[in-house]
Amino acid sequence: MITIRRLDISDAYLLIAGARDKAREIGVPMCIAVTDESGQLIAFERMDGGKVTSTTIAIDKAFTAAAAKKATHEYGAASQPGNPTFGIHSAIGGRLMVVGGGLPVAVDGEVVGGIGISSGTPTQDLQCAEAGIAHFLAMR
Amino acid sequence: MITIRRLDISDAYLLIAGARDKAREIGVPMCIAVTDESGQLIAFERMDGGKVTSTTIAIDKAFTAAAAKKATHEYGAASQPGNPTFGIHSAIGGRLMVVGGGLPVAVDGEVVGGIGISSGTPTQDLQCAEAGIAHFLAMR
Amino acid sequence: MITIRRLDISDAYLLIAGARDKAREIGVPMCIAVTDESGQLIAFERMDGGKVTSTTIAIDKAFTAAAAKKATHEYGAASQPGNPTFGIHSAIGGRLMVVGGGLPVAVDGEVVGGIGISSGTPTQDLQCAEAGIAHFLAMR
Amino acid sequence: MITIRRLDISDAYLLIAGARDKAREIGVPMCIAVTDESGQLIAFERMDGGKVTSTTIAIDKAFTAAAAKKATHEYGAASQPGNPTFGIHSAIGGRLMVVGGGLPVAVDGEVVGGIGISSGTPTQDLQCAEAGIAHFLAMR
């Protein structure tokens, strides 16, 4: 038998709060998704003005990061043409995201969930994902 | 050009708060989804213990109720075997939900969004959807 | 080799015009889709106020009627529980529609396309589909 | 609550008319799709000779442009190999289009819908999308 630890809903809202604050600071309304360690959605927020296309993209970034235990921008680097991971971006019906903005959420070295952000540039999305995790780790 | 009104993110959290309170009262952890008037997701919460299968079901109930401007249980009644709407439940890739728990959210007689609940019985789901709307209308 | 006849785009707009006029007459804004004899979309109109969910449903009704050469309400009757066609409604990823409002369009006994209507009751949808065909046959 | 403006069906037909005229001028029969600001289809025309594959492509270009508020060719540039957005083209089940020919439609600086064209080269598709918007802005 395996015992796992995962984010609860109050953790998810801490992650969203941190990401939202950063999104406001940089002036880009974001879609923010949080999943558990299996990649299943726990909470989602589309800030007013967040892109409709980014709903699915944010959810899939969080899914990828949590379930693969890997930041989506790392997949982006690894899957460039010429690399052996090339082509992975259309896996799982296109759900495996290789664009930055998805991060695994780890506690004590263990992945307990994922956060995915979309609506800005990959750099902005990643920045908000990092802010979400920093807020969660500081406040929990 | 058409001018329409839709829920914003703070409205969505009022709807979720009302539904969550009722879910706690009846002791059934729920998945709670809120969409805009076009059926696009604004906010989602899976309460601790809410069912993973109910994530998609709650989102699709809110989508159906908002975009078709009709409670999902009304579709359920209209689509029973022998009725002319029989078979509608697998439309739109199965997204059209005919199980109770999805309600359009209306303000001044105009549909501005939808709420969808899943994890309990259809009656419990509907009860929480109604509680979400009541809280939203009282607090906004 | 096979030679086939199919609707052209001006035929499609005649079908839409007839359906739209009837929709206005009965006061129900509709989604109206026209396909060629292979079930491929030629033209589509969502009248102001037509349901977002009905976009796909109208297209799939026209697809079913044209490609199966059968009115969707006939499938509805044939696929009721207890009948051998029961269960057909979820075929083709749910695209096979068994709810009324989809009709094949025939000229000289030959199916040349399909029309699909959605947003009202199945009876209203069918009424508008019939009006579309009547207008097309009178005006072409 | 948020108040938004979106295209109505007569606006959609202006966009189609402008795109169709340009398509005739350059001698390439096109698929032409118009969505509202949420990316939901309002109107579609496959000109006689337009490609069947282009039906979905045109609809998805309009969806992407409207819902992401960005021209599809801008995504194309941003998602070339080596760029951080590489791999975005298979997102949302492949609906996120990065090939030119999809443009957001803006009025007074606000995105109110999208137009998507397909059947020609990306340059020809874009040219027709631009012509559709020019006609709409001139005639409305």
Side-chain angles (χ1 to χ4, degrees), chain B residues 2 37-39 63-70 75 80-94 96, chain C residues 48-54 56-57 60-61 76 79-81 86 89-91 93-100 122-123:
Chain B
I2 299 173
E37 99 302 333
S38 293
F63 160 74
T64 298
K69 306 179 189 198
K70 200 185 193 84
Y75 270 118
Q80 290 296 323
N83 289 0
T85 314
F86 173 70
I88 197 77
H89 59 282
S90 52
I92 318 176
L96 197 142
Chain C
D48 295 334
K51 297 175 182 175
V52 164
T53 42
S54 290
T56 303
I57 294 174
D60 288 350
K61 284 181 179 175
S79 66
Q80 291 295 324
F86 173 71
H89 60 283
S90 53
R95 292 201 69 196
L96 197 142
M97 297 299 301
V98 304
V99 176
T123 303

Side-chain angles (χ1 to χ4, degrees), chain D residues 53-105:
Chain D
T53 44
S54 290
T55 300
T56 302
I57 295 173
I59 292 171
D60 287 350
K61 284 181 181 175
F63 161 73
T64 298
K69 306 179 191 197
K70 201 185 192 84
T72 55
H73 66 271
E74 294 180 56
Y75 269 118
S79 65
Q80 290 296 323
N83 289 1
T85 314
F86 172 71
I88 197 76
H89 58 282
S90 51
I92 318 176
R95 292 202 70 194
L96 198 141
M97 296 299 301
V98 305
V99 177
L103 289 177
V105 178

Side-chain angles (χ1 to χ4, degrees), chain B residues 16-66:
Chain B
I16 286 180
R20 184 201 299 127
D21 285 350
K22 178 59 71 177
R24 283 187 183 143
E25 186 190 315
I26 64 174
V28 182
M30 294 290 191
C31 289
I32 307 167
V34 176
T35 66
D36 65 24
E37 99 302 333
S38 293
Q40 305 285 8
L41 192 65
I42 303 176
F44 172 81
E45 171 177 327
R46 175 155 57 100
M47 295 171 66
D48 295 334
K51 299 175 183 173
V52 165
T53 43
S54 290
T55 301
T56 302
I57 294 174
I59 292 172
D60 288 350
K61 283 181 181 175
F63 160 74
T64 298

Side-chain angles (χ1 to χ4, degrees), chain C residues 8 11 30 47 80-81 127 130-131:
Chain C
D8 65 21
D11 296 327
M30 294 290 191
M47 295 171 66
Q80 291 295 324
Q127 197 178 357
E130 288 169 340

Side-chain angles (χ1 to χ4, degrees), chain C:
Chain C
M1 300 288 285
I2 300 175
T3 299
I4 55 153
R5 294 166 72 204
R6 65 168 46 147
L7 299 171
D8 65 21
I9 184 64
S10 60
D11 296 327
Y13 278 124
L14 287 176
L15 284 154
I16 286 180
R20 185 201 299 126
D21 284 351
K22 178 58 72 177
R24 284 189 181 141
E25 186 189 315
I26 65 173
V28 182
M30 294 290 191
C31 288
I32 307 167
V34 176
T35 65
D36 65 25
E37 101 299 335
S38 294
Q40 303 288 1
L41 192 63
I42 304 175
F44 172 81
E45 171 177 327
R46 175 155 57 101
M47 295 171 66
D48 295 334
K51 297 175 182 175
V52 164
T53 42
S54 290
T55 301
T56 303
I57 294 174
I59 292 171
D60 288 350
K61 284 181 179 175
F63 160 74
T64 299
K69 306 182 188 199
K70 199 185 191 84
T72 55
H73 65 272
E74 294 180 56
Y75 268 118
S79 66
Q80 291 295 324
N83 291 359
T85 314
F86 173 71
I88 197 75
H89 60 283
S90 53
I92 320 175
R95 292 201 69 196
L96 197 142
M97 297 299 301
V98 304
V99 176
L103 289 177
V105 178
V107 169
D108 304 330
E110 194 182 351
V111 173
V112 293
I115 182 169
I117 313 283
S118 181
S119 280
T121 65
T123 303
Q124 290 171 327
D125 295 348
L126 176 57
Q127 197 178 357
C128 291
E130 288 169 340
I133 292 177
H135 184 69
F136 161 67
L137 293 176
M139 299 297 290
R140 81 191 189 87

